[in-house]
Amino acid sequence: MTSPETGSPVRTIDLPDAEATRAFGRTLAGLLRAGDLVMLTGDLGAGKTTLTQGIGDGLGVRGQVASPTFVIARVHPPLADGPALVHVDAYRLSSLDDVDALDLDASLDDSVTVVEWGNGLVERLSRDRLEITVERPRGGADLEEILADAEAGVRRVRVHGFGPRWAGVEVPGTTVVEDSSPAAPEKSVG
Ligand SMILES: Nc1ncnc2c1ncn2[C@@H]1O[C@H](COP(=O)(O)OP(=O)(O)OP(=O)(O)O)[C@@H](O)[C@H]1O
Ligand SMILES: [Mg+2]
């Protein structure tokens, strides 16, 4: 059994459209402060950047949050008091040291850092992190339906804070009861 890590309870929320996802990002922004690291996971087009737009809006930062694919990282300075938003696309990075090497015009300690595609990189950087997964339900009966769902459809977002920073923080959503007991033996068929 893995040792339990301090952190927040795991919560999920279903977001019916892009605006709902942005609104959820604005809510999350209310929980975020300088030095925080948010890791976004999810397939291409899942809604990671859309969620980050809401976070940027909620933090009150300058500039349009967009896909940082060709710039690796973009700094959005605060419009008033508060942290900057550093938006990172780690898709082509092999290490987050590469982000440090970018010599961004912002210190991560003074910023909220949101990393898309950071799984496998971010965990080593910080024990304290908010992990968010964005998923599309894949219930479509045929390809046409699946493609339609992909563009305009509900997203299921799962939020889990790791480390002391997130201990006791009530992230919004419905609590997921995760079964930590050993997996029940599968019924053998045939
Ligand atoms: N519930 C929803 N939440 C978020 N986006 C949605 C939702 N429903 C539809 N969309 C649409 O899905 C697309 C999501 O694109 P977005 O760039 O946010 O994805 P991404 O996960 O950042 O992709 P990439 O992996 O390419 O960076 C947008 O066109 C958005 O309008
Ligand atoms: Mg994106």
Side-chain angles (χ1 to χ4, degrees):
M1 204 173 127
T2 52
S3 63
E5 242 182 298
T6 28
S8 72
V10 181
R11 295 271 156 82
T12 67
I13 186 165
D14 286 349
L15 301 164
D17 55 29
E19 189 38 55
T21 297
R22 283 189 203 96
F24 186 66
R26 287 193 286 271
T27 303
L28 284 177
L31 297 176
L32 294 169
R33 58 186 194 220
D36 282 346
L37 180 65
V38 179
M39 179 178 131
L40 297 182
T41 314
D43 292 343
L44 283 169
K48 302 180 293 297
T49 299
T50 305
L51 183 65
T52 310
Q53 286 168 349
I55 292 173
D57 200 15
L59 291 175
V61 296
R62 178 143 52 85
Q64 175 74 36
V65 172
S67 177
T69 302
F70 298 107
V71 293
I72 300 179
R74 186 173 279 142
V75 179
H76 297 272
L79 289 167
D81 280 348
L85 171 66
V86 176
H87 183 200
V88 180
D89 190 323
Y91 195 65
R92 287 167 300 133
L93 298 181
S94 52
S95 155
L96 271 188
D97 292 345
D98 297 357
V99 175
D100 276 341
L102 292 173
D103 204 13
L104 295 173
D105 199 18
S107 122
L108 299 190
D109 287 344
D110 296 332
S111 311
V112 167
T113 304
V114 175
V115 184
E116 299 189 31
W117 296 107
N119 38 332
L121 303 176
V122 164
E123 295 88 339
R124 270 168 290 157
L125 187 82
S126 179
R127 181 169 56 140
D128 290 320
R129 61 188 189 275
L130 192 64
E131 289 196 5
I132 302 179
T133 328
V134 187
E135 277 183 348
R136 296 183 260 242
R138 296 184 187 280
D142 57 30
L143 184 61
E144 213 170 304
E145 205 174 312
I146 290 168
L147 290 176
D149 270 2
E151 186 48 36
V154 72
R155 302 296 198 267
R156 176 156 295 176
V157 171
R158 181 181 186 278
V159 186
H160 190 185
F162 287 84
R165 157 70 178 96
W166 293 100
V169 176
E170 288 294 320
V171 295
T174 306
T175 304
V176 178
V177 181
E178 296 210 319
D179 188 3
S180 59
S181 61
E186 298 268 324
K187 269 186 200 156
S188 59
V189 183

PDB file of all heavy atoms in Angstrom, residues 48-49 67-68 116, ligand 2:
ATOM      1  N   LYS A  48      -7.709  22.278 -21.242  1.00  0.00           N
ATOM      2  CA  LYS A  48      -6.703  22.751 -20.290  1.00  0.00           C
ATOM      3  C   LYS A  48      -6.477  24.262 -20.433  1.00  0.00           C
ATOM      4  O   LYS A  48      -6.424  24.985 -19.442  1.00  0.00           O
ATOM      5  CB  LYS A  48      -5.381  21.991 -20.503  1.00  0.00           C
ATOM      6  CG  LYS A  48      -5.518  20.476 -20.347  1.00  0.00           C
ATOM      7  CD  LYS A  48      -4.197  19.736 -20.557  1.00  0.00           C
ATOM      8  CE  LYS A  48      -3.662  19.788 -21.964  1.00  0.00           C
ATOM      9  NZ  LYS A  48      -4.546  19.137 -22.969  1.00  0.00           N
ATOM     10  N   THR A  49      -6.342  24.709 -21.674  1.00  0.00           N
ATOM     11  CA  THR A  49      -6.111  26.137 -21.893  1.00  0.00           C
ATOM     12  C   THR A  49      -7.364  26.936 -21.535  1.00  0.00           C
ATOM     13  O   THR A  49      -7.271  28.039 -20.967  1.00  0.00           O
ATOM     14  CB  THR A  49      -5.685  26.385 -23.355  1.00  0.00           C
ATOM     15  OG1 THR A  49      -4.462  25.679 -23.592  1.00  0.00           O
ATOM     16  CG2 THR A  49      -5.461  27.855 -23.639  1.00  0.00           C
ATOM     17  N   SER A  67      -3.132  29.154 -26.150  1.00  0.00           N
ATOM     18  CA  SER A  67      -2.272  27.980 -26.158  1.00  0.00           C
ATOM     19  C   SER A  67      -0.820  28.406 -26.283  1.00  0.00           C
ATOM     20  O   SER A  67      -0.453  29.110 -27.219  1.00  0.00           O
ATOM     21  CB  SER A  67      -2.645  27.075 -27.323  1.00  0.00           C
ATOM     22  OG  SER A  67      -1.758  25.989 -27.341  1.00  0.00           O
ATOM     23  N   PRO A  68       0.024  28.028 -25.336  1.00  0.00           N
ATOM     24  CA  PRO A  68       1.420  28.472 -25.409  1.00  0.00           C
ATOM     25  C   PRO A  68       2.293  27.541 -26.245  1.00  0.00           C
ATOM     26  O   PRO A  68       3.507  27.606 -26.174  1.00  0.00           O
ATOM     27  CB  PRO A  68       1.855  28.441 -23.937  1.00  0.00           C
ATOM     28  CG  PRO A  68       1.041  27.346 -23.327  1.00  0.00           C
ATOM     29  CD  PRO A  68      -0.240  27.239 -24.136  1.00  0.00           C
ATOM     30  N   GLU A 116       0.637  22.850 -18.556  1.00  0.00           N
ATOM     31  CA  GLU A 116      -0.066  21.839 -19.337  1.00  0.00           C
ATOM     32  C   GLU A 116       0.935  20.760 -19.734  1.00  0.00           C
ATOM     33  O   GLU A 116       2.070  21.065 -20.049  1.00  0.00           O
ATOM     34  CB  GLU A 116      -0.674  22.453 -20.608  1.00  0.00           C
ATOM     35  CG  GLU A 116      -1.695  23.533 -20.311  1.00  0.00           C
ATOM     36  CD  GLU A 116      -2.470  23.992 -21.550  1.00  0.00           C
ATOM     37  OE1 GLU A 116      -2.686  23.191 -22.478  1.00  0.00           O
ATOM     38  OE2 GLU A 116      -2.864  25.165 -21.566  1.00  0.00           O
TER      39      GLU A 116
HETATM   40 MG    MG B   2      -3.718  23.866 -24.357  1.00  0.00          MG
END
